[in-house]
Amino acid sequence: MEIKELVEFMERTTWLWRYKHTSEFSKREETFAQVIKIGEEYGELCEQVLWDLWAQRKEKADRFSQEFLEDEMADVIYSTIRLACLMDIDIEKALKNKKEKLEKRMK
């Protein structure tokens, strides 16, 4: 799947990401809410990684699976792409520019 496809999907389905009252939010408030959402998804990803490394409490054992780990990683990526859309950032261009910077550092 191409980044462009992910961005188009997010733009087409943005209404699915809105909660009951976000239609009342300004763009600024919605952007702020999306940043918080990324934090939530990142926390869930961290929990799954801890489980993968066997560094999580046994009481939470039923919350780990490879599928959950993959889902949480995808949630972080999708949430970040949605934030880029809200902030009018060309995420494909940003990733390309970052890749070029990293390649220069590695030389």
Side-chain angles (χ1 to χ4, degrees), residues 33-43 76 79-81 83:
Q34 189 61 33
V35 170
I36 300 301
K37 182 67 176 168
I38 290 170
E40 174 198 359
E41 298 298 354
Y42 174 72
V76 170
S79 295
T80 302
I81 290 171
L83 178 63

Side-chain angles (χ1 to χ4, degrees), residues 8 13-14 18 33-34 37 47 66-67 74 85 105-106:
E8 288 171 354
T13 61
T14 194
R18 293 200 166 127
Q34 189 61 33
K37 182 67 176 168
E47 182 178 45
Q66 184 66 29
E67 182 181 358
C85 291
R105 270 193 226 156
M106 291 183 220

Side-chain angles (χ1 to χ4, degrees), residues 56-69:
Q56 188 61 284
R57 293 190 319 255
K58 290 181 181 178
E59 307 88 70
K60 295 184 175 183
D62 61 333
R63 297 186 192 169
F64 173 77
S65 73
Q66 184 66 29
E67 182 181 358
F68 286 160
L69 177 61

Side-chain angles (χ1 to χ4, degrees), residues 12-53:
R12 259 190 347 265
T13 61
T14 194
W15 61 273
L16 290 172
W17 289 75
R18 293 200 166 127
Y19 304 102
K20 279 185 182 178
H21 304 291
T22 56
S23 61
E24 301 167 11
F25 286 1
S26 67
K27 184 175 179 179
R28 183 172 188 231
E29 292 168 325
E30 191 171 0
T31 300
F32 182 71
Q34 189 61 33
V35 170
I36 300 301
K37 182 67 176 168
I38 290 170
E40 174 198 359
E41 298 298 354
Y42 174 72
E44 292 171 356
L45 174 61
C46 289
E47 182 178 45
Q48 292 300 310
V49 170
L50 285 172
W51 262 112
D52 191 52
L53 300 173

